Every structure is written in C-alpha cells, then in structure tokens.
Amino acid sequence: MLEVKGLRKEYGGLTAVKGISFNLNPGDIFGFIGSNGAGKTTTIRMIATLLEPTSGTAVLNGADVRKDPMAVRRMIGYMPDFFGLYDDVKVWEYLDFFAAIYQVPVKERPGIIDSVLELTNLTVKRQAFVQSLSRGMQQRLCLARCLVHDPALLLLDEPASGLDPRARAELKELIAELGRMGKIVIVSSHILPELADFCNTVGIIERGELLAFGPVSQIVKDIQPHRVFAAHVLKDPEVAMQTLIQLPSVVDAKLVDGELRIEFVGDIEAQADIVALLVDKGFRLAAFREDSADLEDVFLKLTTGAVN
Amino acid sequence: MKERFLDVFVHNPMLVEISRFRRRYFSFSTGNPGNSVILTLVLLGYAGFVLIVEENREAMNPISIVMFETAVLTVFAPMMLYGSIAHERERRSWDLLLAAPITKFQIVGGKFMGAMAALSIAVGLFQIPILIAAFGYKDTNWWNLFEATFVSFSFLMTVCALTILFSARVKRGLMALGAVLGILTVALVVFPALTYGAGIDRLSGDPFLYLHPFTVLSHLTMTDEQNKVVSAWGWPQTFVYIFLSLVLLAWAENTLNFAENEVKFLPQGDKNA
C-alpha cells in the first residue's frame, strides 16, 4: 500500500507541491493528471526518493521515503519521461545490469530477463544493441527494466509520450496487465482519454494542489451529479425545452448550440418518456443521445490552466 | 569495512563498466564502424612501435618507453573517462541510478575500476616493447624499471580519479575533459617550464617537481652513481599518487550529493541524492 501524506516541496520561494495526500492499494492504476508545471513530476520524483520532500512523506509498504529510501528504492520501478538508456550495451545486458543493481540473484536473472522481455514483447531483440531499437521498443525496454525486480509500485512519468498509436495501445494493455498482477501503478499523462481507459483512480493536480482524487466515475459524478442528454429538435427547440422542463425527471434544460441539453434524474422508463413526449407533441427529433461528462470535461472544469 | 570492500569490489553491479570499457575501446563488435577503424589504426601504430623498439633495443632505455607510455595514457585516460558521470547526467540515466538501491560509493568505484581495467590492458600492451628493450639494453636496472612501472600506473590512477571528480562536478562531459587536460598541461608542462625559466634547480627538492611523474621517471633512468638519492624517487611518489587518487575518489563520491540535478562544486550535503 502507498500512503502519501501531506507531501510538500518548496524551491526557494516557489511551492511546487502543496501538501498532497492520497492512498493507493495493490492493483490500483492511478492516473496523475495535470498541465506542465502542475507538480506531477515533482510528486513522482519525491515518491521515487529522488527529491527530499520539504515536509510530509510517502510510505510504501511500511517503508518511509525519508527515513528508509533504500528500502523504498528496492520496491519501486521508476520510468521517467526520458529513456536514460545505455546505447552501447545489448538489451539483455542492460536488463542484467539493473537486475544486479536490484540484487536479483545471479541464477534467477536469465529467467527473469526472459520473462520481462516476453511481457514487453521484446524477446526477439534480446541480443540487439539498445541503440538499434525503435523508440517504441526503447520505451518497452524501459518498462522491462522497471520490472526486473518485481516492484510493488511502478512510477511511470509520461510513458506514452512520443509513441505511435500502435505502441501506445500496446503500452496501455501492458499497464492494465500490470494492474491485474497486483502492482500499484502511477501513470502521469497529458492524454486524458488514454488514462480514462485503463486507470481505476485518477488525481487532478494544478499548481501543486490535488484538486480531485478518486475513481473516474466518482469524480465525474462529483462535478456533474445528473445524467445529461442531448436532443436535436429540428423545429421550435425553445418550445420543446419548455415542454420538457415540466417533467419531474428533468432537472434542467438548456439550449446550447442549437441542441437541447437535458439534465436528468430518473430510470430508463423516465428516459423513454422524454423521447415519447417529444414525439407525441409533434417535435421532429433528429437525434437523442446521452452526453455525460468525461475526464477531459472534468479536467477543464476543475482547472484554470494556471501553472507554478 | 569488509562489507564495504565486498560491495565495491565483488557485489558491485557497476562493474559492468569493465565490459563496457572493454567493448568500447578493445572490441571490433561494438556495432560502431568508427570504433573499429580507430582500433585498427591504433593496433597498426602499436605494431609499428614494437618494430621500432625491436630495431633499436640496444640503445633504448626501457624506462624511456615507460615515460612514453605514461605520456600517451595520461592523454588517453581523460578522453576515456570524461563522460563517466557527466554523460550519465546528460543522457539522464543518472536518475535511474539514483532511484535504484545502489550506493554512490559503488557508482564511483565501478566507474574507476572499469577505467583501470581498460588502462591495465593498455599498460599490458606496453609491457611487450618495454621487455624487448629491457632485454636488449645493456644497462637495464630491473628494480628501477619495476618502480617506474608502478609510478606510471599510480600516476594514471590519479589522472583517472581526477577525471571522474571533474566528470561528477560539471554538467557537460566536454567541460570535464577540458578542465582535466588544462590542469594536466599546467601541472606537467607549463609550471615546470616556468620553474626552469625562473632558474630553480630540479634536483633541489622543489616539492612540486618532486611529485612530477616525468621528473621521477627521469631520475629512475639514472644509474645509482649518477643519482645518489635514487631511493627518494619511485616508491614515495607511488604512495602519494595512490593516496591522492583515494582522496579524489572520495571527493567525487561526496560530489554526487547534489540537489535536483544542480551541480555544485562544493558538496551540498546528502539531502537529495
């Protein structure tokens, strides 16, 4: 379990992270969302023991990043937003080097290297020099490096940056698999739909403050408590709006860009009643669809775009 | 103490540097054709050098070849090591090491031993012409030759340690190379030239010249009759060089305590490393 307690980082007069707290359990895939300069990387680097917090701490399975950083380092796999690879070694040598750093017994290393290469789909590149790999392969090799010591926590800072769509899809599947393996995964990314796809928890950070934290569905519900439907009525949409607002299941209705936006509380029957009413009253209904908020809407609503 | 020794010399994953240095400088299978071409030229030059020594072995004091070896490797060592830590920082693999359970002592120790392993191969190659000259030269003093070899190797250790220190203390590898070559030029060429210009006698015991490796080696080329204080040259300097190397390495290790990728020439404490 990872407990982040009041983590704060100051650089001179600038507070990069303002005392953020959250907990994550094994299997959690946590999407860390924020603009550039919001404090994501600083937070990740503090958890990775690369920066000492000004105050607060993070505790991973009982090991405190401030009191026992070596113990934390043994349990984390850190993948920064750059590769940091050695070009002049072969793929297996690179992994063997990090396995040695993480004190994986010599006898176990070949088997583990084979496993992580298979998991990251790099088995055929075992004997290749790192410099000969494509960007996507290098990214997967970085991930393989993070896995050689079977860490409890993976810190992935912008893991999908610069990857083509196929490599991105493969990486997403891989991260989801790691979550299923019971690892805690923290992923920071700018690409919000991508995170919403495979993260079961997200946190939105701006100017060092954690504005929202929890499951995607919960956060969406917090900012948009009612379901929203969009109806495209061809004639007299204002009249249709006045008609709908009479219904007890309709909390509010507005006309936005020629479409009706209907805030709704009710079951599927009440939902069907809306359509039936519009048709019965003779409105020409061209489209009717649910238009609920997504992670991007939440992000835009909660943040102002300000940076530190 | 024993545990620390084992951590650095036996269980140190950074010993992978040995195979990296070997591959970079002594292998044709690097995947880089440029390296192969340079290595071929170096080997051809080496073969030519051995032939020249063979032709002139009766007239060639073997310690003069040790001096040549020292001069060549004094330039080669900084070129080999200037990026040892600075390049880790430039390519940002440094963060991966700092986030891993490895000590700074292991990092510095591994880099140093990798370089010394590579230099040992180079020194080993020089032993062939040295032995050819030693057996051909009529006045070979085997004890002085033995001492000269240690003086040379220990001085190269100091050069390596100095380069690692600068590599750890600057942001760019080339800055480290420039600084080290500059220091060596001043210490080995400019300062002795100025000293001579000022009329100071080399044999008067000037402490700086006393530690100058080429002064030491030139003393070892003399016969006992020519040099009455020969016992003062050789081992004392070797021990000073080894001590100096250890001090420089300890300083380099301490340097790794920098904050958030800032590089400070003075240690900042161990807060963020």
Side-chain angles (χ1 to χ4, degrees), chain A residues 86-90 93 129-131, chain B residues 20 23-24 91:
Chain A
Y86 299 119
D87 290 344
D88 56 351
V89 295
K90 293 180 177 176
E93 287 173 327
F129 277 101
V130 169
Q131 63 194 358
Chain B
R20 287 181 69 201
R23 178 176 290 148
R24 205 176 302 155
R91 77 162 81 88

Side-chain angles (χ1 to χ4, degrees), chain B residues 79-96:
Chain B
M79 294 175 79
M80 185 173 65
L81 269 173
Y82 70 93
S84 56
I85 290 173
H87 279 173
E88 296 269 11
R89 205 176 284 129
E90 281 176 46
R91 77 162 81 88
R92 303 190 70 183
S93 50
W94 189 235
D95 281 15
L96 306 182

Side-chain angles (χ1 to χ4, degrees), chain A residues 259-286:
Chain A
E259 269 193 345
L260 281 174
R261 277 183 60 83
I262 306 154
E263 277 192 50
F264 168 82
V265 283
D267 56 13
I268 191 98
E269 290 295 330
Q271 187 180 325
D273 287 345
I274 294 176
V275 180
L277 179 66
L278 289 171
V279 173
D280 287 349
K281 295 283 184 184
F283 293 106
R284 288 175 62 75
L285 189 59

